Amino acid sequence: MSGELKIFDKEADLFAAAAATFVDAVRAVLAVRPQFTVALSGGSTPRAMFERLAAAPFRDEVEWRKIQWFWGDERSVPAEHPDSNYRMAAESLLSRVDVDWTKVHRMRGEADPLSDAADEYQRTLAQVCNAPLNGPPPSLDLVLLGMGNDGHTASLFPNTAALNEQGRWVVANEVPQQLTRRLTLTYPTLNAAGCVMFLAAGAGKARILREVRQGPHDPAKLPSQGINPTGGRLLWYVDRAAASQLE
Ligand code: 6PG
């Protein structure tokens, strides 16, 4: 699998480096465009990076109010639910820095049917990113992703319908292995990003990281393998424990 792999001795070094990369990406984009667009991820690894980003020195190095905040995926729960990716990001980052809350675009996980929220989110992406609604997805400046122990990323889970979606930018995805439905950006949207940063830490990720990065290419089984930005950078930030089974 392609991409720039960076291995850090400790988790703390990984999170600091990922925060620094976020700061650099914002600075580079705002030097040439008026806004920065990012899609956040759920998960404990991304959460730790958000908390580091919300602390000094990084918190003082970002023009927070010029950022448009999106999500890569959301659980089928309301904003205040403990499982909400929105709630996690709001607690660990957005509430700790000076964001413009009118630029925080939550996926409405509580919608029923959930597909209504997917349609609404596609309209929001089109409007905020000034992209024609029925054209190719906009290029988000940065997409942050975690990777599950089953190789899923965002809410692209193994052998689920969303993996095959090539038209829509956002879908409601049935995830039978988790007995749930999730909202998720699709491969076309994720792979249109200017930069995708995977975060994986801990010995528990060692096996799956080896399979994803060095095993046979089979995105249906290992959805993280389907992430390959067509015109953007792919970064893998991992710690030594997660990298321990890589050749
Ligand atoms: C989610 C995330 C998911 C997550 C991975 C990694 O909604 O759960 O979007 O894709 O990033 O499962 O999570 P950990 O970093 O906690 O292992």
Side-chain angles (χ1 to χ4, degrees):
M1 186 173 185
S2 66
E4 304 163 49
L5 176 68
K6 300 193 177 189
I7 301 173
F8 299 90
D9 280 339
K10 299 191 300 291
E11 279 193 4
D13 302 332
L14 187 169
F15 299 134
T21 299
F22 184 99
V23 169
D24 291 346
V26 174
R27 192 172 287 148
V29 168
L30 292 183
V32 294
R33 288 200 293 278
Q35 69 178 19
F36 181 82
T37 55
V38 61
L40 303 179
S41 170
S44 57
T45 312
R47 178 183 185 116
M49 181 263 185
F50 299 163
E51 289 169 344
R52 188 66 188 87
L53 181 59
F58 309 110
R59 61 175 293 110
D60 304 315
E61 297 172 351
V62 176
E63 291 186 85
W64 298 107
R65 299 189 70 78
K66 294 183 178 176
I67 299 178
Q68 296 281 356
W69 302 91
F70 297 98
W71 273 260
D73 70 322
E74 187 54 276
R75 288 86 180 277
S76 46
V77 295
E80 64 278 3
H81 192 284
D83 290 347
S84 163
N85 288 342
Y86 164 85
R87 174 175 161 171
M88 182 275 275
E91 287 176 346
S92 58
L93 174 58
L94 304 180
S95 61
R96 303 183 185 186
V97 293
D98 179 29
V99 303
D100 178 344
W101 287 93
T102 67
K103 297 177 180 176
V104 176
H105 309 292
R106 181 178 72 89
M107 288 180 163
R108 280 192 326 109
E110 70 278 14
D112 187 8
L114 199 59
S115 56
D116 285 359
D119 296 344
E120 174 189 291
Y121 212 69
Q122 181 152 335
R123 289 194 296 273
T124 301
L125 278 162
Q127 190 264 324
V128 172
C129 301
N130 195 24
L133 189 57
N134 298 314
S139 175
L140 297 173
D141 293 311
L142 177 62
V143 170
L144 298 174
L145 293 174
M147 180 182 64
N149 291 336
D150 59 356
H152 84 262
T153 190
S155 281
L156 299 171
F157 283 83
N159 304 306
T160 57
L163 300 181
N164 303 312
E165 180 59 51
Q166 289 302 316
R168 304 198 50 68
W169 308 350
V170 195
V171 294
N173 193 28
E174 292 295 333
V175 185
Q177 55 267 56
Q178 300 230 347
L179 303 175
T180 187
R181 297 166 304 156
R182 297 264 194 109
L183 288 165
T184 188
L185 299 186
T186 57
Y187 280 133
T189 312
L190 296 169
N191 285 330
C195 179
V196 176
M197 182 195 296
F198 267 107
L199 303 171
K205 293 286 169 67
R207 177 193 58 76
I208 195 66
L209 186 65
R210 186 194 69 245
E211 282 191 39
V212 164
R213 285 196 54 87
Q214 297 176 342
H217 188 70
D218 184 0
K221 175 172 169 266
L222 299 168
S224 293
Q225 291 184 332
I227 300 297
N228 200 7
T230 36
R233 291 178 73 194
L234 176 58
L235 304 175
W236 282 85
Y237 281 22
V238 305
D239 69 351
R240 195 154 298 289
S244 59
Q245 294 188 23
L246 292 180
E247 266 105 54

